[in-house]
Amino acid sequence: MKRRTFLKGAMASGVVAVAAGAGLLRPTEVLAAAAYPSAAFKTKGVEDTLKSLYGSTAHSASSKITLDAPIQAENAAVVPVTVETSMNAQSIAIMIPNNPATLAASVDLASNATGYFRTRVKMGKTSDIVAVVRVGGTTYSTKKLVKVTVGGCGG
């Protein structure tokens, strides 16, 4: 290692340590949204989760939402899920009714963002995956049955 590289690294580490010590860097506030829906992640059932997340259980099916997930999940610990919509979505949520906690993911989108969200979820057993899209105070959804063969929340 060269002396110059070592000194640059030591200076950068020192600056970060001083900033963290002064309280300028608080990772928990940076990473977590101000309105983290912790109660919604503890609910069971789609209706209770919708009420906790959006304050209402009203939702309607929409053909403008595309939910891409495998028909059969060989590894239920990592099931790829993609939600896409052509609507001007404010938020997208993924719910799995047969999991111990129904809400698997919830993201708020910026006004200039496209309605696209992709993640991997863990499933306990065979269940519908419900994609919920919030557009201008109205909630739309679509669902797809995914069969679980091995693994998941239950082992």
Side-chain angles (χ1 to χ4, degrees), residues 77-99:
V78 285
V79 179
V81 177
T82 302
V83 179
E84 191 168 7
T85 181
S86 60
M87 297 183 283
N88 189 17
Q90 295 172 324
S91 69
I92 296 175
I94 297 173
M95 301 179 192
I96 304 169
N98 288 346
N99 268 8

Side-chain angles (χ1 to χ4, degrees), residues 103-119:
L103 184 60
S106 175
V107 294
D108 292 331
L109 303 175
S111 61
N112 60 352
T114 59
Y116 180 85
F117 179 64
R118 182 177 185 171
T119 189

Side-chain angles (χ1 to χ4, degrees), residues 27-82:
T28 55
E29 291 181 10
V30 173
L31 298 175
Y36 178 74
S38 60
F41 279 100
K42 297 175 184 170
T43 59
K44 295 186 180 201
V46 173
E47 302 300 322
D48 289 344
T49 305
L50 281 171
K51 184 154 181 101
S52 178
L53 198 59
Y54 300 124
S56 171
T57 62
H59 64 101
S60 59
S62 175
S63 62
K64 293 182 179 180
I65 305 170
T66 304
L67 174 61
D68 186 26
I71 295 171
Q72 184 171 357
E74 294 180 14
N75 183 0
V78 285
V79 179
V81 177
T82 302

Side-chain angles (χ1 to χ4, degrees), residues 43-46 49 76 79 81 93-105 120-131 146 148 153:
T43 59
K44 295 186 180 201
V46 173
T49 305
V79 179
V81 177
I94 297 173
M95 301 179 192
I96 304 169
N98 288 346
N99 268 8
T102 298
L103 184 60
R120 294 178 181 184
V121 296
K122 188 172 186 177
M123 296 183 67
K125 55 187 172 182
T126 299
S127 175
D128 283 325
I129 293 180
V130 182
V146 176
V148 170
C153 299

